Amino acid sequence: MAIKRTKAEKKQAYDRKLCQLLDEYTKVLIAVADNVGSKQLQEIRKGLRGDSVVLMGKNTLIRRCIKVHVEKTGNKELSELMPLLVGNVGLIFTKGDLKEVREEVAKYKVGAPARVGLVAPVDVVVAPGNTGLDPSQTSFFQVLNIPTKINKGTVEIITPVELIKKGDKVGSSESALLAKLGIRPFSYGLVVTNVYDSGSVFSPEVLDLTEEDLIGKFASGVSMVASLSLALSYPTLAAAPHMFINGYKNVLAVAVETDYSYPHADQIKEYLKDPSKFAVAAPVAAADSGAVAAATPKEEEKKEEPADESDDDLGFSLFD
Protein backbone atom coordinates (compact mmCIF):
# COMPACT_ATOMS: atom_id res chain seq x y z
CA MET A 1 0.00 0.00 0.00
CA ALA A 2 1.40 3.35 -1.04
CA ILE A 3 2.11 5.84 1.71
CA LYS A 4 0.08 9.01 1.27
CA ARG A 5 2.20 12.13 1.57
CA THR A 6 1.11 15.16 3.54
CA LYS A 7 0.64 18.61 1.99
CA ALA A 8 3.91 19.79 3.48
CA GLU A 9 5.78 16.86 1.97
CA LYS A 10 4.18 17.50 -1.44
CA LYS A 11 5.21 21.15 -1.30
CA GLN A 12 8.77 20.22 -0.36
CA ALA A 13 8.98 17.73 -3.25
CA TYR A 14 7.56 20.34 -5.63
CA ASP A 15 10.09 22.91 -4.38
CA ARG A 16 13.00 20.50 -4.97
CA LYS A 17 11.77 19.71 -8.48
CA LEU A 18 11.30 23.38 -9.40
CA CYS A 19 14.72 24.37 -8.03
CA GLN A 20 16.34 21.54 -9.98
CA LEU A 21 14.69 22.74 -13.18
CA LEU A 22 15.73 26.35 -12.52
CA ASP A 23 19.34 25.23 -12.13
CA GLU A 24 19.31 22.95 -15.15
CA TYR A 25 17.41 25.07 -17.71
CA THR A 26 18.02 28.66 -18.83
CA LYS A 27 15.07 28.92 -21.24
CA VAL A 28 11.44 28.92 -20.14
CA LEU A 29 8.19 29.38 -22.05
CA ILE A 30 5.26 30.76 -20.05
CA ALA A 31 2.00 29.34 -21.43
CA VAL A 32 -1.67 29.95 -20.59
CA ALA A 33 -3.52 26.70 -19.89
CA ASP A 34 -7.15 27.83 -19.94
CA ASN A 35 -9.60 25.03 -20.83
CA VAL A 36 -6.78 22.49 -21.22
CA GLY A 37 -7.66 19.08 -19.84
CA SER A 38 -5.38 16.65 -18.04
CA LYS A 39 -5.37 14.17 -20.93
CA GLN A 40 -4.45 16.92 -23.40
CA LEU A 41 -1.68 18.09 -21.08
CA GLN A 42 -0.37 14.54 -20.91
CA GLU A 43 -0.16 14.41 -24.71
CA ILE A 44 1.78 17.68 -24.72
CA ARG A 45 4.23 16.28 -22.19
CA LYS A 46 4.76 13.20 -24.37
CA GLY A 47 5.34 15.34 -27.46
CA LEU A 48 7.94 17.50 -25.69
CA ARG A 49 9.67 14.63 -23.90
CA GLY A 50 13.43 14.63 -24.41
CA ASP A 51 14.51 18.25 -24.21
CA SER A 52 11.55 19.96 -22.51
CA VAL A 53 9.62 19.65 -19.25
CA VAL A 54 6.13 21.03 -18.55
CA LEU A 55 5.52 22.13 -14.96
CA MET A 56 2.11 23.23 -13.67
CA GLY A 57 1.27 24.48 -10.19
CA LYS A 58 -0.16 27.26 -8.08
CA ASN A 59 1.29 30.67 -8.84
CA THR A 60 1.79 31.55 -5.17
CA LEU A 61 3.76 28.35 -4.56
CA ILE A 62 5.91 28.87 -7.67
CA ARG A 63 6.65 32.49 -6.70
CA ARG A 64 7.66 31.48 -3.19
CA CYS A 65 9.94 28.71 -4.48
CA ILE A 66 11.59 31.06 -6.97
CA LYS A 67 12.05 33.77 -4.33
CA VAL A 68 13.72 31.37 -1.88
CA HIS A 69 15.87 29.89 -4.66
CA VAL A 70 17.05 33.37 -5.72
CA GLU A 71 18.02 34.17 -2.12
CA LYS A 72 19.98 30.93 -1.81
CA THR A 73 21.79 31.03 -5.16
CA GLY A 74 22.04 34.80 -5.74
CA ASN A 75 20.77 34.34 -9.30
CA LYS A 76 18.60 37.47 -9.49
CA GLU A 77 17.83 36.88 -13.18
CA LEU A 78 15.21 34.31 -12.14
CA SER A 79 13.22 37.09 -10.45
CA GLU A 80 12.06 38.12 -13.93
CA LEU A 81 9.82 35.05 -13.96
CA MET A 82 7.67 36.07 -10.99
CA PRO A 83 5.73 38.96 -12.64
CA LEU A 84 4.78 36.59 -15.50
CA LEU A 85 2.94 34.18 -13.19
CA VAL A 86 -0.53 35.64 -13.61
CA GLY A 87 -3.65 33.58 -14.30
CA ASN A 88 -3.78 29.91 -15.19
CA VAL A 89 -0.25 29.53 -16.53
CA GLY A 90 2.37 26.81 -16.71
CA LEU A 91 6.14 26.73 -17.24
CA ILE A 92 7.80 24.88 -20.11
CA PHE A 93 11.50 24.40 -19.37
CA THR A 94 13.47 23.59 -22.51
CA LYS A 95 16.95 23.12 -23.93
CA GLY A 96 15.77 23.04 -27.51
CA ASP A 97 15.10 25.76 -30.05
CA LEU A 98 12.45 28.10 -28.64
CA LYS A 99 10.63 28.53 -31.95
CA GLU A 100 10.47 24.78 -32.59
CA VAL A 101 9.21 24.09 -29.07
CA ARG A 102 6.48 26.73 -29.41
CA GLU A 103 5.39 25.24 -32.75
CA GLU A 104 5.31 21.75 -31.20
CA VAL A 105 3.13 23.00 -28.33
CA ALA A 106 0.73 24.66 -30.80
CA LYS A 107 0.09 21.31 -32.52
CA TYR A 108 -1.75 19.91 -29.51
CA LYS A 109 -5.08 21.66 -29.80
CA VAL A 110 -8.35 19.89 -29.08
CA GLY A 111 -11.78 20.89 -30.38
CA ALA A 112 -14.27 21.90 -27.73
CA PRO A 113 -18.02 22.57 -27.70
CA ALA A 114 -19.41 26.04 -27.14
CA ARG A 115 -20.42 25.81 -23.50
CA VAL A 116 -22.73 28.39 -21.97
CA GLY A 117 -20.90 31.38 -20.49
CA LEU A 118 -17.63 30.86 -22.36
CA VAL A 119 -16.08 33.84 -24.09
CA ALA A 120 -15.75 33.02 -27.80
CA PRO A 121 -12.08 33.08 -28.90
CA VAL A 122 -13.13 33.16 -32.59
CA ASP A 123 -16.11 34.02 -34.73
CA VAL A 124 -18.58 31.15 -35.15
CA VAL A 125 -20.30 30.97 -38.54
CA VAL A 126 -22.92 28.37 -39.36
CA ALA A 127 -22.59 27.36 -42.99
CA PRO A 128 -25.65 26.86 -45.22
CA GLY A 129 -26.78 23.35 -45.95
CA ASN A 130 -28.88 20.47 -44.70
CA THR A 131 -28.75 20.10 -40.91
CA GLY A 132 -30.32 16.65 -40.74
CA LEU A 133 -32.76 17.88 -38.05
CA ASP A 134 -36.49 17.24 -38.30
CA PRO A 135 -38.92 20.17 -38.76
CA SER A 136 -39.84 20.13 -35.05
CA GLN A 137 -36.42 21.72 -34.32
CA THR A 138 -37.11 24.90 -36.29
CA SER A 139 -37.78 26.81 -33.06
CA PHE A 140 -34.01 26.93 -32.35
CA PHE A 141 -33.37 28.58 -35.68
CA GLN A 142 -36.26 31.02 -35.28
CA VAL A 143 -34.97 32.23 -31.89
CA LEU A 144 -31.57 32.97 -33.46
CA ASN A 145 -33.08 34.52 -36.62
CA ILE A 146 -31.52 31.92 -38.88
CA PRO A 147 -33.36 31.62 -42.22
CA THR A 148 -34.31 28.01 -42.97
CA LYS A 149 -36.54 25.91 -45.19
CA ILE A 150 -37.87 22.37 -45.10
CA ASN A 151 -36.22 20.16 -47.70
CA LYS A 152 -37.07 16.44 -47.93
CA GLY A 153 -38.35 16.34 -44.37
CA THR A 154 -35.31 18.04 -42.78
CA VAL A 155 -34.34 21.59 -41.87
CA GLU A 156 -31.95 23.29 -44.28
CA ILE A 157 -30.12 26.55 -43.58
CA ILE A 158 -30.41 28.93 -46.53
CA THR A 159 -27.60 31.44 -45.97
CA PRO A 160 -24.43 31.49 -43.82
CA VAL A 161 -25.05 33.07 -40.42
CA GLU A 162 -22.52 34.57 -37.99
CA LEU A 163 -23.86 32.95 -34.84
CA ILE A 164 -21.29 34.15 -32.28
CA LYS A 165 -18.79 36.99 -32.55
CA LYS A 166 -15.30 36.86 -31.10
CA GLY A 167 -15.28 38.14 -27.53
CA ASP A 168 -19.01 37.53 -26.91
CA LYS A 169 -20.29 35.13 -24.30
CA VAL A 170 -21.98 31.97 -25.54
CA GLY A 171 -25.70 31.89 -24.76
CA SER A 172 -27.84 28.88 -24.00
CA SER A 173 -29.60 28.96 -27.40
CA GLU A 174 -26.34 29.15 -29.36
CA SER A 175 -24.83 26.36 -27.26
CA ALA A 176 -27.85 24.09 -27.72
CA LEU A 177 -28.01 24.68 -31.47
CA LEU A 178 -24.30 23.99 -32.01
CA ALA A 179 -24.60 20.83 -29.92
CA LYS A 180 -27.51 19.62 -32.04
CA LEU A 181 -25.54 20.34 -35.21
CA GLY A 182 -22.52 18.51 -33.84
CA ILE A 183 -20.30 21.58 -34.25
CA ARG A 184 -17.30 22.02 -31.91
CA PRO A 185 -16.27 25.55 -32.91
CA PHE A 186 -13.55 26.22 -30.38
CA SER A 187 -10.11 24.68 -29.94
CA TYR A 188 -7.94 24.96 -26.88
CA GLY A 189 -4.32 24.26 -26.03
CA LEU A 190 -1.32 25.77 -24.33
CA VAL A 191 -0.76 29.30 -25.64
CA VAL A 192 2.73 30.74 -25.15
CA THR A 193 2.47 34.34 -23.91
CA ASN A 194 6.03 35.12 -22.78
CA VAL A 195 9.54 33.80 -23.28
CA TYR A 196 12.34 33.82 -20.70
CA ASP A 197 15.91 33.30 -21.87
CA SER A 198 18.83 33.75 -19.44
CA GLY A 199 17.29 36.73 -17.67
CA SER A 200 15.68 38.31 -20.73
CA VAL A 201 11.90 38.34 -21.15
CA PHE A 202 10.29 39.00 -24.52
CA SER A 203 7.14 38.37 -26.54
CA PRO A 204 6.85 35.09 -28.50
CA GLU A 205 6.39 37.13 -31.71
CA VAL A 206 10.13 37.79 -31.56
CA LEU A 207 10.69 34.11 -32.39
CA ASP A 208 9.07 34.67 -35.79
CA LEU A 209 11.68 37.22 -36.87
CA THR A 210 13.99 36.06 -39.66
CA GLU A 211 17.62 37.01 -40.26
CA GLU A 212 16.49 39.45 -42.96
CA ASP A 213 14.17 41.17 -40.46
CA LEU A 214 16.96 41.48 -37.92
CA ILE A 215 19.40 42.86 -40.51
CA GLY A 216 16.79 45.38 -41.67
CA LYS A 217 16.06 46.55 -38.11
CA PHE A 218 19.78 46.79 -37.33
CA ALA A 219 20.44 48.83 -40.47
CA SER A 220 17.52 51.12 -39.62
CA GLY A 221 18.91 51.64 -36.11
CA VAL A 222 22.40 52.40 -37.42
CA SER A 223 20.91 54.92 -39.85
CA MET A 224 19.03 56.68 -37.05
CA VAL A 225 22.15 56.80 -34.85
CA ALA A 226 24.19 58.20 -37.73
CA SER A 227 21.57 60.87 -38.50
CA LEU A 228 21.32 61.94 -34.85
CA SER A 229 25.11 62.01 -34.46
CA LEU A 230 25.52 64.18 -37.56
CA ALA A 231 22.80 66.57 -36.39
CA LEU A 232 24.46 66.95 -32.97
CA SER A 233 28.03 66.84 -34.33
CA TYR A 234 28.69 64.04 -31.87
CA PRO A 235 31.16 61.42 -33.15
CA THR A 236 30.07 57.78 -33.18
CA LEU A 237 31.16 54.72 -35.15
CA ALA A 238 28.04 54.96 -37.30
CA ALA A 239 28.60 58.64 -38.14
CA ALA A 240 32.42 58.62 -38.39
CA PRO A 241 32.61 57.74 -42.14
CA HIS A 242 30.13 60.50 -42.99
CA MET A 243 32.00 62.99 -40.83
CA PHE A 244 35.30 62.20 -42.55
CA ILE A 245 33.73 62.55 -46.00
CA ASN A 246 32.04 65.83 -45.09
CA GLY A 247 35.30 67.11 -43.61
CA TYR A 248 37.18 66.19 -46.78
CA LYS A 249 34.57 68.01 -48.88
CA ASN A 250 34.99 71.14 -46.75
CA VAL A 251 38.79 71.05 -47.06
CA LEU A 252 38.51 70.52 -50.82
CA ALA A 253 36.09 73.47 -51.11
CA VAL A 254 38.51 75.73 -49.21
CA ALA A 255 41.42 74.62 -51.39
CA VAL A 256 39.44 75.34 -54.58
CA GLU A 257 38.50 78.84 -53.41
CA THR A 258 41.99 79.75 -52.14
CA ASP A 259 45.63 79.35 -53.14
CA TYR A 260 46.08 76.48 -50.72
CA SER A 261 46.64 73.24 -52.56
CA TYR A 262 47.52 69.58 -52.23
CA PRO A 263 47.77 66.73 -54.79
CA HIS A 264 44.08 65.78 -54.83
CA ALA A 265 42.99 69.41 -54.95
CA ASP A 266 45.37 70.13 -57.87
CA GLN A 267 43.55 67.64 -60.07
CA ILE A 268 40.17 69.18 -59.25
CA LYS A 269 41.53 72.65 -59.98
CA GLU A 270 42.80 71.47 -63.37
CA TYR A 271 39.38 70.16 -64.27
CA LEU A 272 37.76 73.42 -63.18
CA LYS A 273 40.21 75.50 -65.26
CA ASP A 274 39.67 73.42 -68.38
CA PRO A 275 36.21 71.73 -68.35
CA SER A 276 36.96 70.22 -71.75
CA LYS A 277 39.16 67.69 -69.97
CA PHE A 278 35.98 66.11 -68.69
CA ALA A 279 35.01 65.22 -72.28
CA VAL A 280 38.46 63.98 -73.32
CA ALA A 281 38.25 60.64 -71.62
CA ALA A 282 34.93 59.69 -73.18
CA PRO A 283 35.93 60.05 -76.90
CA VAL A 284 39.21 58.27 -76.24
CA ALA A 285 37.41 55.41 -74.63
CA ALA A 286 34.87 55.34 -77.47
CA ALA A 287 37.65 55.39 -80.06
CA ASP A 288 39.45 52.56 -78.32
CA SER A 289 36.29 50.49 -78.21
CA GLY A 290 35.63 51.29 -81.89
CA ALA A 291 39.15 50.25 -82.80
CA VAL A 292 38.73 47.01 -80.96
CA ALA A 293 35.39 46.40 -82.65
CA ALA A 294 36.85 47.22 -86.06
CA ALA A 295 39.89 45.06 -85.44
CA THR A 296 37.81 42.08 -84.53
CA PRO A 297 36.14 41.51 -87.93
CA LYS A 298 39.44 42.22 -89.73
CA GLU A 299 41.18 39.63 -87.60
CA GLU A 300 38.40 37.20 -88.35
CA GLU A 301 38.82 37.85 -92.08
CA LYS A 302 42.57 37.32 -91.74
CA LYS A 303 41.94 34.09 -89.93
CA GLU A 304 39.49 32.94 -92.59
CA GLU A 305 41.80 33.69 -95.55
CA PRO A 306 44.36 30.91 -94.83
CA ALA A 307 41.50 28.47 -94.54
CA ASP A 308 40.20 29.50 -98.02
CA GLU A 309 43.66 29.20 -99.55
CA SER A 310 44.13 25.76 -98.09
CA ASP A 311 40.78 24.72 -99.51
CA ASP A 312 41.76 26.04 -102.98
CA ASP A 313 45.08 24.26 -102.84
CA LEU A 314 43.33 21.12 -101.82
CA GLY A 315 40.90 21.48 -104.69
CA PHE A 316 43.66 22.04 -107.30
CA SER A 317 45.57 19.02 -106.03
CA LEU A 318 42.48 16.90 -106.50
CA PHE A 319 41.93 18.10 -110.05
CA ASP A 320 45.54 17.46 -110.91
Side-chain angles (χ1 to χ4, degrees):
M1 182 176 179
I3 300 175
K4 188 176 181 180
R5 295 185 299 178
T6 63
K7 288 186 177 180
E9 291 175 341
K10 290 180 179 178
K11 288 182 178 180
Q12 291 174 0
Y14 186 90
D15 180 72
R16 288 193 297 270
K17 182 178 180 180
L18 177 57
C19 292
Q20 180 183 356
L21 293 173
L22 292 172
D23 290 334
E24 186 177 353
Y25 295 85
T26 59
K27 295 183 288 188
V28 185
L29 298 175
I30 294 83
V32 175
D34 292 337
N35 302 300
V36 177
S38 57
K39 184 177 180 181
Q40 184 180 357
L41 194 59
Q42 185 178 4
E43 294 296 325
I44 295 173
R45 284 195 170 100
K46 288 182 180 179
L48 297 177
R49 189 171 295 168
D51 59 356
S52 302
V53 177
V54 180
L55 181 69
M56 307 297 294
K58 293 183 178 180
N59 294 340
T60 52
L61 178 60
I62 298 176
R63 289 196 197 99
R64 187 184 67 81
C65 294
I66 293 175
K67 184 178 180 182
V68 173
H69 187 71
V70 169
E71 293 174 354
K72 287 182 179 179
T73 61
N75 186 4
K76 296 183 179 180
E77 293 181 349
L78 296 174
S79 301
E80 299 294 334
L81 285 171
M82 290 193 286
L84 307 178
L85 301 173
V86 179
N88 185 19
V89 297
L91 304 178
I92 303 175
F93 296 86
T94 182
K95 294 180 180 179
D97 183 82
L98 290 171
K99 184 178 180 180
E100 293 179 358
V101 173
R102 189 189 66 160
E103 292 175 349
E104 183 66 23
V105 170
K107 293 179 181 178
Y108 296 90
K109 286 190 176 182
V110 177
R115 294 192 296 271
V116 179
L118 283 179
V119 177
V122 294
D123 294 334
V124 179
V125 179
V126 178
N130 197 317
T131 63
L133 301 176
D134 60 82
S136 63
Q137 306 292 330
T138 54
S139 58
F140 285 100
F141 300 95
Q142 292 174 356
V143 171
L144 298 170
N145 297 322
I146 298 176
T148 59
K149 67 177 182 179
I150 305 301
N151 184 16
K152 296 181 180 180
T154 58
V155 179
E156 182 178 337
I157 299 175
I158 301 173
T159 58
V161 178
E162 187 175 350
L163 188 62
I164 307 172
K165 292 184 178 180
K166 181 180 179 180
D168 293 346
K169 285 188 176 182
V170 179
S172 57
S173 299
E174 293 89 346
S175 177
L177 176 61
L178 292 171
K180 287 180 177 295
L181 296 176
I183 298 175
R184 299 167 68 89
F186 305 146
S187 60
Y188 297 106
L190 292 181
V191 180
V192 177
T193 56
N194 290 283
V195 181
Y196 170 89
D197 188 357
S198 302
S200 300
V201 178
F202 50 88
S203 172
E205 283 75 15
V206 175
L207 302 177
D208 297 327
L209 294 175
T210 61
E211 291 185 2
E212 290 75 14
D213 296 330
L214 296 176
I215 293 173
K217 290 183 178 294
F218 179 77
S220 177
V222 171
S223 178
M224 292 178 64
V225 171
S227 300
L228 184 61
S229 301
L230 291 173
L232 299 175
S233 298
Y234 183 81
T236 60
L237 289 176
H242 303 283
M243 289 181 171
F244 283 121
I245 292 173
N246 292 337
Y248 174 76
K249 289 179 180 179
N250 293 334
V251 172
L252 183 60
V254 171
V256 170
E257 295 296 330
T258 62
D259 294 334
Y260 178 77
S261 186
Y262 57 94
H264 293 288
D266 291 339
Q267 186 178 4
I268 300 299
K269 288 182 178 182
E270 289 296 326
Y271 280 127
L272 293 176
K273 288 180 181 179
D274 188 5
S276 62
K277 291 185 177 180
F278 285 106
V280 171
V284 171
D288 292 341
S289 61
V292 172
T296 302
K298 290 181 180 179
E299 290 176 359
E300 290 179 354
E301 291 177 0
K302 290 180 180 179
K303 291 179 180 179
E304 291 175 0
E305 288 176 2
D308 295 339
E309 291 175 358
S310 61
D311 292 338
D312 292 338
D313 293 341
L314 182 60
F316 286 127
S317 62
L318 288 174
F319 283 110
D320 293 336

